[in-house]
mmCIF file of all heavy atoms in Angstrom:
data_model
loop_
_atom_site.group_PDB
_atom_site.id
_atom_site.type_symbol
_atom_site.label_atom_id
_atom_site.label_comp_id
_atom_site.label_asym_id
_atom_site.label_seq_id
_atom_site.Cartn_x
_atom_site.Cartn_y
_atom_site.Cartn_z
ATOM 1 N N LEU A 897 -16.583 -11.220 -4.338
ATOM 2 C CA LEU A 897 -17.571 -10.577 -3.470
ATOM 3 C C LEU A 897 -17.296 -9.083 -3.391
ATOM 4 O O LEU A 897 -18.199 -8.250 -3.528
ATOM 5 C CB LEU A 897 -17.466 -11.213 -2.085
ATOM 6 C CG LEU A 897 -18.634 -11.024 -1.141
ATOM 7 C CD1 LEU A 897 -19.857 -11.708 -1.733
ATOM 8 C CD2 LEU A 897 -18.308 -11.620 0.221
ATOM 9 N N SER A 898 -16.016 -8.765 -3.194
ATOM 10 C CA SER A 898 -15.641 -7.367 -3.074
ATOM 11 C C SER A 898 -15.976 -6.615 -4.357
ATOM 12 O O SER A 898 -16.491 -5.494 -4.327
ATOM 13 C CB SER A 898 -14.153 -7.301 -2.764
ATOM 14 O OG SER A 898 -13.741 -6.010 -2.583
ATOM 15 N N PHE A 899 -15.722 -7.283 -5.492
ATOM 16 C CA PHE A 899 -16.022 -6.645 -6.775
ATOM 17 C C PHE A 899 -17.514 -6.411 -6.939
ATOM 18 O O PHE A 899 -17.955 -5.311 -7.300
ATOM 19 C CB PHE A 899 -15.488 -7.503 -7.928
ATOM 20 C CG PHE A 899 -16.003 -7.102 -9.283
ATOM 21 C CD1 PHE A 899 -15.754 -5.830 -9.765
ATOM 22 C CD2 PHE A 899 -16.726 -7.980 -10.057
ATOM 23 C CE1 PHE A 899 -16.225 -5.452 -11.015
ATOM 24 C CE2 PHE A 899 -17.197 -7.608 -11.294
ATOM 25 C CZ PHE A 899 -16.950 -6.336 -11.768
ATOM 26 N N SER A 900 -18.324 -7.450 -6.633
ATOM 27 C CA SER A 900 -19.752 -7.270 -6.861
ATOM 28 C C SER A 900 -20.312 -6.210 -5.909
ATOM 29 O O SER A 900 -21.180 -5.416 -6.300
ATOM 30 C CB SER A 900 -20.499 -8.596 -6.703
ATOM 31 O OG SER A 900 -20.078 -9.253 -5.558
ATOM 32 N N MET A 901 -19.763 -6.158 -4.692
ATOM 33 C CA MET A 901 -20.265 -5.135 -3.774
ATOM 34 C C MET A 901 -19.879 -3.740 -4.236
ATOM 35 O O MET A 901 -20.664 -2.798 -4.111
ATOM 36 C CB MET A 901 -19.736 -5.399 -2.364
ATOM 37 C CG MET A 901 -20.424 -6.561 -1.706
ATOM 38 S SD MET A 901 -20.057 -6.744 0.026
ATOM 39 C CE MET A 901 -18.321 -7.082 0.003
ATOM 40 N N SER A 902 -18.669 -3.596 -4.795
ATOM 41 C CA SER A 902 -18.323 -2.233 -5.213
ATOM 42 C C SER A 902 -19.096 -1.839 -6.453
ATOM 43 O O SER A 902 -19.444 -0.667 -6.613
ATOM 44 C CB SER A 902 -16.819 -2.056 -5.416
ATOM 45 O OG SER A 902 -16.261 -3.154 -6.032
ATOM 46 N N LEU A 903 -19.401 -2.829 -7.303
ATOM 47 C CA LEU A 903 -20.229 -2.510 -8.461
ATOM 48 C C LEU A 903 -21.615 -2.049 -8.016
ATOM 49 O O LEU A 903 -22.134 -1.029 -8.492
ATOM 50 C CB LEU A 903 -20.345 -3.749 -9.349
ATOM 51 C CG LEU A 903 -20.731 -3.515 -10.796
ATOM 52 C CD1 LEU A 903 -19.706 -2.639 -11.468
ATOM 53 C CD2 LEU A 903 -20.845 -4.843 -11.531
ATOM 54 N N SER A 904 -22.172 -2.783 -7.067
ATOM 55 C CA SER A 904 -23.501 -2.427 -6.574
ATOM 56 C C SER A 904 -23.468 -1.045 -5.907
ATOM 57 O O SER A 904 -24.374 -0.224 -6.091
ATOM 58 C CB SER A 904 -23.970 -3.508 -5.607
ATOM 59 O OG SER A 904 -24.690 -2.962 -4.563
ATOM 60 N N THR A 905 -22.375 -0.785 -5.137
ATOM 61 C CA THR A 905 -22.272 0.531 -4.508
ATOM 62 C C THR A 905 -22.179 1.625 -5.565
ATOM 63 O O THR A 905 -22.789 2.694 -5.422
ATOM 64 C CB THR A 905 -21.029 0.588 -3.607
ATOM 65 O OG1 THR A 905 -21.041 -0.554 -2.768
ATOM 66 C CG2 THR A 905 -21.018 1.838 -2.773
ATOM 67 N N ALA A 906 -21.411 1.339 -6.630
ATOM 68 C CA ALA A 906 -21.256 2.358 -7.673
ATOM 69 C C ALA A 906 -22.603 2.671 -8.309
ATOM 70 O O ALA A 906 -22.933 3.835 -8.543
ATOM 71 C CB ALA A 906 -20.271 1.872 -8.727
ATOM 72 N N LEU A 907 -23.404 1.620 -8.577
ATOM 73 C CA LEU A 907 -24.722 1.856 -9.175
ATOM 74 C C LEU A 907 -25.592 2.664 -8.223
ATOM 75 O O LEU A 907 -26.298 3.591 -8.633
ATOM 76 C CB LEU A 907 -25.394 0.514 -9.504
ATOM 77 C CG LEU A 907 -24.702 -0.273 -10.616
ATOM 78 C CD1 LEU A 907 -25.390 -1.616 -10.816
ATOM 79 C CD2 LEU A 907 -24.712 0.517 -11.915
ATOM 80 N N GLN A 908 -25.483 2.313 -6.943
ATOM 81 C CA GLN A 908 -26.278 3.038 -5.951
ATOM 82 C C GLN A 908 -25.868 4.507 -5.897
ATOM 83 O O GLN A 908 -26.710 5.411 -5.831
ATOM 84 C CB GLN A 908 -26.070 2.369 -4.593
ATOM 85 C CG GLN A 908 -27.014 2.832 -3.515
ATOM 86 C CD GLN A 908 -26.590 2.302 -2.176
ATOM 87 O OE1 GLN A 908 -25.911 1.272 -2.077
ATOM 88 N NE2 GLN A 908 -26.971 2.995 -1.114
ATOM 89 N N VAL A 909 -24.541 4.745 -5.966
ATOM 90 C CA VAL A 909 -24.042 6.119 -5.922
ATOM 91 C C VAL A 909 -24.523 6.885 -7.151
ATOM 92 O O VAL A 909 -24.951 8.042 -7.061
ATOM 93 C CB VAL A 909 -22.504 6.125 -5.828
ATOM 94 C CG1 VAL A 909 -21.941 7.498 -6.097
ATOM 95 C CG2 VAL A 909 -22.061 5.639 -4.470
#
Side-chain angles (χ1 to χ4, degrees):
Chain A
L897 198 64
S898 182
F899 167 60
S900 46
M901 286 190 296
S902 40
L903 201 60
S904 143
T905 310
L907 293 177
Q908 191 190 335
V909 167

